[in-house]
Amino acid sequence: MRKKELAIMLSKLKGFRNPKPWLEQYRTPGNAASELLWLAYSLGDIEGKVVADLGAGTGVLTLGALLLGAKKVYAVEVDPEAIEVLKENVEDFDNVEVIVGDVSEFSEKVDTVVMNPPFGSQRKHADRPFLLKAFEVSEVVYSIHLAKPEVRKFIERFSQENNFVISHKVTTEIEIPAQFFFHRKRLERIKVDIYRFIRASQERSF
């Protein structure tokens, strides 16, 4: 499978039926998901690995990890309605465990975390619990965040404070369609950074 093929497949998945603004439920675009997953795959962090998708939503990153050969994927999601769609999207796989609950309650140790946490647009610092949990349960973390100077400074500081370093950062653009009452544009294009974090104590090549 090529990255472009992966992006197309992920773009065709079923999305949120009833997206909730307070959870910042935006479907992870296929291009950003494939960018993150292909980076992880190329660095040996997906195939044959146990992966956790924190805040899995409708399962875009979960399915991508499964398609790229993950040994097992934990899909952790707090919204039961999103879980229903997620299960439909991954129904052809038996090596996925869907967990309904807050990410703070997840305690399994995994090889790799992949996630697209809330940007904090509706609830300030909404991404912090996701980062903290990811840093707790894995040595390698992939995450998507806004490509803004203040966010980049926070990410660098926060990862260092938790004994992680940024080994890779890829900047791309995503499109968010209007779906909530407060949206002013039919389509919003925003720049995001895709990060790879590794525990500072790990001897890994960048």
Side-chain angles (χ1 to χ4, degrees):
M1 181 180 293
R2 297 177 180 177
K3 184 168 72 170
K4 186 176 181 179
E5 294 172 329
L6 180 64
I8 293 171
M9 291 183 69
L10 297 180
S11 296
K12 293 180 178 179
L13 290 179
K14 297 175 184 177
F16 293 100
R17 297 191 183 110
N18 181 31
K20 298 168 180 62
W22 62 91
L23 293 176
E24 295 188 41
Q25 288 182 330
Y26 303 97
R27 178 174 171 172
T28 304
N31 69 310
S34 64
E35 195 75 49
L36 182 154
L37 291 162
W38 202 260
L39 175 63
Y41 177 75
S42 67
L43 293 172
D45 293 327
I46 295 289
E47 190 173 15
K49 303 293 186 180
V50 178
V51 177
D53 180 2
L54 301 183
T58 58
V60 175
L61 293 177
T62 293
L63 180 65
L66 292 167
L67 290 170
L68 292 175
K71 180 180 179 181
K72 179 176 182 176
V73 179
Y74 292 99
V76 185
E77 173 57 45
V78 73
D79 179 21
E81 289 186 303
I83 287 287
E84 291 179 8
V85 182
L86 188 157
K87 288 180 177 178
E88 293 173 16
N89 283 333
V90 301
E91 62 183 356
D92 293 334
F93 294 85
D94 58 10
N95 56 332
V96 55
E97 183 173 339
V98 179
I99 299 175
V100 184
D102 191 273
V103 295
S104 62
E105 301 166 0
F106 181 70
S107 59
E108 298 288 340
K109 296 295 184 182
V110 298
D111 298 309
T112 308
V113 167
V114 296
M115 62 183 186
N116 179 19
F119 291 151
S121 301
Q122 300 302 312
R123 293 179 298 157
K124 197 172 182 181
H125 308 313
D127 54 347
R128 293 190 183 189
F130 289 81
L131 286 166
L132 283 172
K133 178 55 64 174
F135 293 159
E136 176 189 323
V137 302
S138 185
E139 307 290 305
V140 183
V141 176
Y142 291 82
S143 189
I144 302 174
H145 299 269
L146 289 175
K148 291 184 176 181
E150 62 271 24
V151 176
R152 287 172 170 170
K153 288 180 181 179
F154 160 72
I155 292 295
E156 290 177 9
R157 185 183 73 252
F158 196 77
S159 58
Q160 290 174 359
E161 290 173 351
N162 287 277
N163 197 36
F164 272 74
V165 296
I166 299 167
S167 69
H168 294 71
K169 183 176 72 175
V170 178
T171 302
T172 188
E173 191 175 78
I174 65 173
E175 295 181 345
I176 298 179
Q179 61 184 25
F180 299 128
F181 68 92
F182 50 80
H183 285 151
R184 300 288 182 241
K185 297 180 180 179
R186 290 174 57 189
L187 192 69
E188 187 77 35
R189 291 182 175 85
I190 59 174
K191 285 188 176 181
V192 296
D193 290 324
I194 297 170
Y195 290 90
R196 178 182 187 254
F197 304 95
I198 61 171
R199 195 174 300 279
S201 58
Q202 293 299 304
E203 293 295 329
R204 287 173 178 252
S205 63
F206 288 10

